[in-house]
Amino acid sequence: MTKPLKIVIIGNGFGGIYTLKNLHKFFHNNKKVELVLVGEKNYFLFTPLLHEVATGGINPANIIEPIRKVLGCCLDKFYLGKAETINTKNRTVKVENDFVSYDYLVLAGGAKTNFYNIPGAEQYSFPLKSIDDAIKIKNHCITQMESASHMEDREKRKEMLRFVVVGGGPTGVELVAELEELVKETFSHYYSKEVIEDVSIVLVQRGEELVPQFGPKARAKSLETLKKKGIEVLLNTAVKEVGASYVIVNDGQKILTETVVWVAGIKPAEMKFDEPVSMSPDGRLVVNECLQLENQKEIFAIGDIALFKQENVPLPALAQVAEKESATVAKNIKLLIENKKPKKFVYKNSGNLMSLGQWKAVGQIANFTFTGHITWFIWRTVYLSKLISFRKKVRVAVDWTMNLVSPRDISQL
Ligand SMILES: Cc1cc2nc3c(=O)[nH]c(=O)nc-3n(C[C@H](O)[C@H](O)[C@H](O)COP(=O)(O)OP(=O)(O)OC[C@H]3O[C@@H](n4cnc5c(N)ncnc54)[C@H](O)[C@@H]3O)c2cc1C
């Protein structure tokens, strides 16, 4: 019997999981094809709700899904570990102590936080990329509240209760909005009025506007909503240095704070190859119109790790981009197996949504911007529908419902 064709996927985030789901549609019960996944964690993480874990709105376990549960039937092998080197000559990937061979390879390793070598940024700030990051942020905020609650020196207390978020993209905006909800709806139940009055939230954005990926109306609405919530938004402000108890920005201002969350940028996950492959200056894998590496047509790259240009503009680092690319990649692998020509990938944006705290959200489809309670409801419904299992959808819905009627859980995890 001939050996089955091996399709290996590296990365178990949006790109990887959806590639596997799409391949499953084509090759379910097909003994001639073997589907292999490599991932650093044994679960899929639904990143768009991480900010709600960081602010105590959702239980961390509810936005992760075990890989085995997601894809039990068609996953022939799952390697739990980091893919280290790709040997294109003998078509193997080194994963910890294993060498995994492939006929087709899909690279979906995503991205990590980019601190841009700013002094102290990596050492003193909290990233928000993983479930552990979100838990650390929540725990830290609660520690600050507890320590400040018996601090008599008011200036010191204000410093302890100043929460600075660096990065005014959608994640930063969603996070500060939700942080304000945490203070208003939950901390205010447990801490004195004097302590609550000393809490401040600062959002630092290098550009002249928030959420530049959205249109002008959505940008203006985000700024207006955050200001109404009492959040201090510093535009045209670049962080120059972060310390244990301060942030220095470009005009020399020193912001005293013991909490800096860094959501100001990403850089692609590293992939090592035995021979040079085409990479953009920021380290993304350059792919052709069919999402293949130019000189390695059996290797595909998708999601945040890949650079795909449409009309000369790189696609943004979004879950929906990774998800849509995964459908084309699965189809192209099937076509190649059938000795047919692969199809070109064309990205069609389905619209963007961003929450701005309870009952508030902004949405944009093409040039049409919508806001208000209904948008917020749509945002929740869409994100709920995107969670993988019914069980987790119900749990998140329960968390959200409980938050409407009672304070969030401030137990440290
Ligand atoms: C806090 C936050 C909020 C976000 N909100 C939204 C949103 O609302 N809407 C939206 O569209 N997008 C959002 N995004 C962006 C979205 O998460 C990414 O664009 C999307 O996850 C990209 O998918 P991916 O498969 O490329 O990477 P990921 O989903 O990050 O998956 C990559 C996976 O590969 C694994 N991996 C990396 N290197 C290796 C290796 N060497 N070996 C094995 N495994 C490896 C990683 O551990 C990870 O599990 C958000 C991101 C964050 C961090």
Side-chain angles (χ1 to χ4, degrees), residues 298-312:
E298 70 288 353
I299 304 183
F300 295 81
I302 56 172
D304 293 358
I305 202 172
L307 175 68
F308 177 88
K309 285 188 182 172
Q310 189 156 292
E311 287 160 12
N312 242 351

Side-chain angles (χ1 to χ4, degrees), residues 246-276:
Y246 65 87
V247 169
I248 297 177
V249 295
N250 50 349
D251 64 1
Q253 189 195 347
K254 191 174 194 178
I255 305 169
L256 298 179
T257 176
E258 294 177 3
T259 313
V260 181
V261 180
W262 193 272
V263 286
I266 53 169
K267 58 181 176 186
E270 257 172 64
M271 286 285 159
K272 286 192 208 130
F273 292 83
D274 60 331
E275 53 186 352

Side-chain angles (χ1 to χ4, degrees), residues 217-280:
K217 269 193 195 162
R219 290 182 222 154
K221 185 71 190 170
S222 316
L223 183 62
E224 181 198 313
T225 309
L226 297 192
K227 283 192 169 169
K228 271 194 194 149
K229 281 172 165 286
I231 294 163
E232 192 182 347
V233 180
L234 304 179
L235 298 172
N236 291 312
T237 306
V239 169
K240 292 288 163 201
E241 188 183 326
V242 183
S245 58
Y246 65 87
V247 169
I248 297 177
V249 295
N250 50 349
D251 64 1
Q253 189 195 347
K254 191 174 194 178
I255 305 169
L256 298 179
T257 176
E258 294 177 3
T259 313
V260 181
V261 180
W262 193 272
V263 286
I266 53 169
K267 58 181 176 186
E270 257 172 64
M271 286 285 159
K272 286 192 208 130
F273 292 83
D274 60 331
E275 53 186 352
V277 294
S278 179
M279 279 191 195
S280 63

Side-chain angles (χ1 to χ4, degrees), residues 15 37 51 60 89 100 121 177 217 220 274 286 288 335 389 392 403:
L37 182 67
H51 68 285
K89 285 192 201 85
V100 183
K217 269 193 195 162
D274 60 331
V286 178
N288 67 13
L335 289 168
S389 70
K392 297 288 164 110
N403 295 343

Side-chain angles (χ1 to χ4, degrees), residues 27-243:
F27 300 116
H28 178 60
N29 270 342
N30 185 336
K31 298 279 172 259
K32 290 182 186 150
V33 173
E34 194 175 304
L35 302 181
V36 178
L37 182 67
V38 180
E40 291 172 307
K41 303 276 182 212
N42 86 326
Y43 55 78
F44 165 75
L45 166 66
F46 190 77
T47 49
L49 291 178
L50 263 182
H51 68 285
E52 295 216 27
V53 172
T55 49
I58 299 180
N59 184 319
N62 296 346
I63 65 159
I64 57 178
E65 198 76 65
I67 294 298
R68 297 279 172 187
K69 167 120 177 102
V70 183
L71 297 147
C73 70
C74 273
L75 182 61
D76 295 298
K77 280 189 190 115
F78 174 57
Y79 288 85
L80 180 61
K82 189 175 162 76
E84 284 156 24
T85 320
I86 296 156
N87 190 316
T88 54
K89 285 192 201 85
N90 58 20
R91 295 192 179 182
T92 54
V93 183
K94 184 175 183 297
V95 183
E96 311 283 329
N97 296 321
D98 289 299
F99 287 89
V100 183
S101 63
Y102 66 85
D103 295 289
Y104 296 97
L105 183 63
V106 182
L107 303 176
K112 4 184 224 189
T113 302
N114 195 344
F115 296 97
Y116 304 101
N117 292 325
I118 291 167
E122 184 162 6
Q123 188 179 355
Y124 295 110
S125 45
F126 294 90
L128 182 59
K129 277 296 282 173
S130 66
I131 205 80
D132 293 345
D133 294 340
I135 293 170
K136 274 187 198 150
I137 292 171
K138 180 186 167 193
N139 286 346
H140 175 80
C141 291
I142 294 161
T143 300
Q144 292 302 104
M145 292 303 295
E146 292 302 344
S147 310
S149 68
H150 45 75
M151 170 57 65
E152 308 243 309
D153 176 343
R154 182 131 196 233
E155 282 316 302
K156 182 68 191 160
R157 194 162 75 200
K158 282 187 178 174
E159 180 184 323
M160 293 167 100
L161 297 178
R162 187 170 293 117
F163 300 110
V164 175
V165 174
V166 183
T171 304
V173 167
E174 290 189 318
L175 179 65
V176 289
E178 220 36 64
L179 202 51
E180 192 266 346
E181 298 286 344
L182 174 68
V183 175
K184 187 177 66 188
E185 304 293 341
T186 299
F187 287 163
S188 61
H189 276 261
Y190 300 116
Y191 300 94
S192 71
K193 199 164 160 275
E194 291 72 38
V195 169
I196 295 299
E197 271 172 10
D198 286 344
V199 176
S200 60
I201 302 170
V202 183
L203 179 62
V204 182
Q205 161 72 328
R206 191 169 58 172
E208 58 187 19
E209 285 187 279
L210 295 176
V211 288
Q213 18 320 60
F214 280 76
K217 269 193 195 162
R219 290 182 222 154
K221 185 71 190 170
S222 316
L223 183 62
E224 181 198 313
T225 309
L226 297 192
K227 283 192 169 169
K228 271 194 194 149
K229 281 172 165 286
I231 294 163
E232 192 182 347
V233 180
L234 304 179
L235 298 172
N236 291 312
T237 306
V239 169
K240 292 288 163 201
E241 188 183 326
V242 183

